[in-house]
Amino acid sequence: MRKKITALLAAAALLLAGCGWMDGEYVSVVPHQEPAASGPAGSISAANYKDLTGVLEQLVSAGSESCVIDVGEFDQKTVESNMNAACRYIREVFPMGAYAVEDITYELGASQGRPAIAVSIQYRRSRTEIQRIQKKADMDALAVTIRAALDDHASRVAALVSRYTETDFNQLVQDYARENPQKVMEIPQVSEGIYGSGTSRVVELNFTYQNSRESLRQMQSQVKPVFEAASLYVSGEGSEHQKLSQLYSFLMERFDYKQETSITPSYSLLCHGVGDSRAFAEVYAAMCRRAGLESLVVTGTRWGEPWTWNIVCDGEGYFHLDLLRCAQEGGFREYTDAEMAGYVWDYSTYPACEGRPQPPEPAQTEPTDPAPAETTESTDAAEEPEETEGTEQTQEPEEPQA
């Protein structure tokens, strides 16, 4: 940083006249108190470190290149050290400064007989780029902006996020693109820049496509009516099984497909009949969701090769549905886990496919034995003859009378 102590007589007046810190429509994101206007009329004043950083924040946020700051109320022994610290803060901590500022130089001197600082700011971003920075409250709000940019095949997103948290932006882009093949024609390469430190950050994402934006928009316009036709094809009454089968027929009977991988999967599949297992699974899942059907995309392997298929909810059960396997075997068919020989996937990530739940068997009633008859009297009756017999057996024979 260049520092030079000079008497800023005419130069300071010129800088003051050309100060542009209030240009544009910027509203400061970091709240601060206005510096005390104790200097000459129309000047910017700073009485302490907080005032200095506040002034510099506004200068940078507006893209202003120069200004004079009245520091007549500042402790002159600490002006230089405070200014050095403020410049470091702007370049390294303040998100807009870390994003846009190349360097800050200043000169200590006087303006209209009062101590002053003439500030000069060099930028690596244009004023237009700075003023186009969007303001977002948190990462959820930023995600909405990113999705809208992908839908429009835009090349850049730049935003000041007040509550920033670490995010895998490349994964976010890929997930959204794969879940919305009717909108995103090509998954872009993503490069990111995160600027500043602390809670607030500037996030800059650049998207690189192999196709031009105009070409991608034309592809999108051709794919859209196909998805709309699929929704109409399964509208109305019908079971989940019937609708899943209808969507299978709608998709698989469009072409005699050629299995190849494309960088524009949904467009190549639906308009040229070219696609791989992932393209089939993602397009089918998107068509199901539009029809109110639950369909998941499963990534794994089949006989050791990378492969993608679906798991669908049909009635009360989940089933595997491999569109290409169905085409080879002659038509729509759902498979249970036990029927997926040769496939490997993360079993813990997806619902178990065990087939349709068996209806409960009717409860079997055990035959009831008739209640035993009362046996008290019969027992007694049975015992009486025994006692009689016993008596007869023990009775002595009578002797004959003479």
Side-chain angles (χ1 to χ4, degrees), residues 304-351:
E305 298 294 328
W307 202 253
T308 308
W309 65 97
N310 300 96
I311 286 181
V312 297
C313 180
D314 188 351
E316 298 181 12
Y318 286 94
F319 297 87
H320 296 273
L321 178 61
D322 184 341
L323 303 186
L324 293 177
R325 177 180 173 184
C326 287
Q328 293 170 353
E329 296 183 356
F332 179 83
R333 182 185 169 189
E334 299 169 330
Y335 304 90
T336 64
D337 287 342
E339 296 172 308
M340 296 294 283
Y343 292 80
V344 176
W345 67 97
D346 185 351
Y347 305 96
S348 65
T349 304
Y350 304 97

Side-chain angles (χ1 to χ4, degrees), residues 5-155:
I5 301 178
T6 61
L8 302 179
L9 300 175
L14 290 173
L15 288 172
L16 183 59
C19 181
W21 71 285
M22 290 297 288
D23 293 348
E25 300 178 355
Y26 174 79
V27 178
S28 177
V29 176
V30 181
H32 67 280
Q33 296 179 350
E34 284 292 324
S38 58
S43 68
I44 307 171
S45 300
N48 51 46
Y49 175 77
K50 184 178 180 181
D51 288 348
L52 280 178
T53 57
V55 169
L56 293 177
E57 285 177 4
Q58 294 195 48
L59 290 171
V60 169
S61 298
S64 300
E65 296 181 352
S66 61
C67 198
V68 172
I69 305 173
D70 182 285
V71 290
E73 303 301 318
F74 217 108
D75 180 357
Q76 298 303 302
K77 296 180 181 180
T78 63
V79 169
E80 186 171 359
S81 61
N82 276 268
M83 188 62 186
N84 289 338
C87 290
R88 285 195 303 272
Y89 162 79
I90 292 296
R91 293 196 312 271
E92 300 171 9
V93 178
F94 181 54
M96 292 293 291
Y99 166 76
V101 172
E102 183 68 33
D103 194 16
I104 305 177
T105 60
Y106 68 89
E107 294 181 350
L108 301 176
S111 175
Q112 299 184 21
R114 292 176 61 85
I117 304 174
V119 179
S120 179
I121 305 175
Q122 295 78 48
Y123 294 91
R124 55 174 170 264
R125 312 282 182 172
S126 68
R127 178 175 291 190
T128 300
E129 287 179 297
I130 294 171
Q131 293 181 340
R132 284 181 177 174
I133 293 289
Q134 304 178 56
K135 302 180 184 68
K136 302 298 174 184
D138 52 31
M139 301 306 292
D140 289 339
L142 177 61
V144 172
T145 300
I146 293 171
R147 294 175 189 132
L150 293 172
D151 291 347
D152 197 34
H153 300 100
S155 60

